[in-house]
Amino acid sequence: MKKTKTILSSLLLSTMGFLAACGEESGSQDSSAESTEEGSSEESIVLSTANITQADNSLSVVLQNIGDELEERTDGRITAEHNPGGQLGNEEDMMQQLNSGTIDIANITTAQLSNSSPAFGAWLTPFVVETHEQAYELWTSEESMALFDTLENQNVKGLGYSTSGFRYMLSVDPIDSVSDLDGFKLRTTPSPTIMDFWNGVGASPTAMPLTEVYTSLQTNVIDGVDIDTQSLVSENLTEIATNMTPSKHMYWAAGIMMNQERWDSFSEEDQQLIQEVVDEVTKENAETLIEFEENLLENGEDEQGVSIVEFDYSEFDPVTEEVREAWMEKSPEIKPFLEKADEIKSE
């Protein structure tokens, strides 16, 4: 009898031990699942970014700096793989890839964006701002950010703007007045707003890729270029065209956008962090261009071998007014944008 009790006791203890072990294993699995679930928010995130300009151009540097800042502030949890210089195609290609989510973030010029929405022609109306300080105040305004809302069918989230400088004219022969532009073969960007302006002053605007400009100046295919200040220097165009007209007739801005679904996938905290980083980096971008253009004007003769040629830019006023009036009719967002710009300039 004693032996029977002993066996029963052993079996009971064994069963209890087995159940306890099962419970521990189950608890271990639950704990592991909880750990994995909690850890999922800490998984590494790699953002694909792209733009059209070379790596040393400010439109590219902005994206690189955004990626670097996000990596530093998240201890490497969020990083970015940048593709500058049109590595993923031209801006039209990049816009399509941004829409599909192949690219997470892109920095697209307002000239290209105006092909998706005429509202972005607001940025390309002549003499919209006079300084980079004014431009920064304008691009952070509600009126400017509202332009991104017109891209509702593009599956993008507008984060802000960046710049590669004002538009100058660089020519083989000096331009002393608007009359010198009559029939002038001028390379420019094929935005409808820009073309309207140059056609209005009597020039012969020619759209061509930036890579063809140097040779076209050499062979007299064009007489000069309408170009942002950074590209004016980085493309070495002053080796051929040595007359620089710092007219600042247009402000060259680009929109920083994220794929909307990618944006929605982030937590509110990460969205706030991304927006903060974009705001800080783009403010620095505007400040950097102030220094760059001041140096270009002060030292352009010695460093670039250019002669600075200026004239009374009020000669452009009649055409400027015509372009503004015409483009305010093309999109309801343009008028409040231009009114805000005028308000900023009058401060």
Side-chain angles (χ1 to χ4, degrees):
M1 190 71 179
K2 271 185 177 180
K3 185 175 180 182
T4 303
K5 286 183 178 178
T6 302
I7 294 173
L8 289 173
S9 297
S10 298
L11 287 172
L12 180 61
L13 289 171
S14 175
T15 302
M16 290 175 64
F18 173 75
L19 291 173
C22 288
E24 287 176 2
E25 183 178 350
S26 174
S28 175
Q29 289 176 345
D30 290 344
S31 175
S32 175
E34 287 174 7
S35 176
T36 302
E37 184 177 351
E38 290 174 0
S40 64
S41 63
E42 296 300 316
E43 290 178 358
S44 61
I45 298 170
V46 181
L47 297 172
S48 171
T49 70
N51 78 296
I52 196 67
T53 61
Q54 297 303 316
D56 60 349
N57 185 284
S58 62
L59 298 186
S60 180
V61 172
V62 161
L63 287 185
Q64 184 66 53
N65 288 348
I66 288 172
D68 291 345
E69 282 295 313
L70 287 174
E71 181 174 0
E72 180 178 344
R73 297 190 194 190
T74 62
D75 294 326
R77 179 172 61 86
I78 300 177
T79 59
E81 292 181 352
H82 185 39
N83 302 278
Q87 292 177 14
L88 302 183
N90 60 32
E91 287 196 306
E92 184 177 359
D93 297 330
M94 282 189 278
M95 196 67 188
Q96 293 173 354
Q97 293 171 67
L98 186 64
N99 178 290
S100 67
T102 306
I103 295 175
D104 295 312
I105 301 177
N107 202 8
I108 307 288
T109 62
T110 52
Q112 176 61 40
L113 292 178
S114 69
N115 292 324
S116 298
S117 167
F120 284 92
W123 271 109
L124 302 166
T125 52
F127 300 101
V128 67
V129 290
E130 298 168 342
T131 68
H132 283 287
E133 292 90 344
Q134 292 173 359
Y136 177 75
E137 186 175 350
L138 179 60
W139 88 41
T140 55
S141 69
E142 292 181 7
E143 291 82 358
S144 181
M145 293 301 294
L147 302 182
F148 288 114
D149 296 337
T150 66
L151 298 172
E152 57 185 354
N153 296 326
Q154 299 292 321
N155 194 30
V156 296
K157 161 72 176 178
L159 299 176
Y161 293 90
S162 60
T163 184
S164 58
F166 277 97
R167 303 284 280 195
Y168 284 9
M169 288 183 284
L170 189 71
S171 56
V172 176
D173 297 319
I175 300 171
D176 295 315
S177 70
V178 170
S179 61
D180 288 341
L181 292 168
D182 189 28
F184 191 89
K185 294 177 292 183
L186 183 75
R187 180 270 176 185
T188 192
T189 305
S191 159
T193 320
I194 296 175
M195 299 297 278
D196 283 354
F197 175 69
W198 289 120
N199 283 319
V201 300
S204 179
T206 302
M208 67 173 60
L210 191 57
T211 53
E212 297 178 13
V213 173
Y214 191 98
T215 303
S216 296
L217 282 170
Q218 275 184 321
T219 56
N220 298 317
V221 172
I222 54 175
D223 302 315
V225 296
D226 159 32
I227 194 168
D228 63 278
T229 52
Q230 285 224 322
S231 296
L232 180 154
V233 173
S234 63
E235 297 296 324
N236 300 316
L237 302 180
T238 56
E239 293 177 355
I240 306 168
T242 58
N243 293 283
M244 185 176 73
T245 305
S247 49
K248 297 174 27 174
H249 51 276
M250 286 175 193
Y251 192 77
W252 204 234
I256 302 172
M257 297 166 294
M258 179 180 280
N259 172 270
Q260 183 67 58
E261 293 167 7
R262 186 63 152 155
W263 172 261
D264 293 339
S265 72
F266 283 97
S267 66
E268 289 186 11
E269 291 79 8
D270 278 347
Q271 288 179 349
Q272 182 178 353
L273 173 64
I274 292 168
Q275 189 62 67
E276 286 177 357
V277 168
V278 170
D279 292 344
E280 291 174 17
V281 170
T282 53
K283 183 177 182 181
E284 182 181 355
N285 168 225
E287 293 170 348
T288 299
L289 263 294
I290 293 172
E291 297 176 8
F292 176 83
E293 291 186 357
E294 284 179 349
N295 179 70
L296 181 60
L297 292 173
E298 291 175 10
N299 304 304
E301 184 174 351
D302 294 332
E303 296 179 359
Q304 300 296 327
V306 296
S307 298
I308 297 176
V309 183
E310 297 202 61
F311 58 90
D312 184 1
Y313 301 133
S314 65
E315 293 181 32
F316 285 117
D317 287 352
V319 176
T320 297
E321 213 41 53
E322 288 176 10
V323 173
R324 284 171 60 104
E325 291 295 326
W327 276 85
M328 280 193 290
E329 300 296 323
K330 296 182 184 293
S331 176
E333 291 80 12
I334 294 181
K335 183 176 180 180
F337 175 95
L338 293 178
E339 289 175 344
K340 182 63 176 180
D342 291 341
E343 176 188 324
I344 292 171
K345 285 192 290 186
S346 66
E347 291 175 352

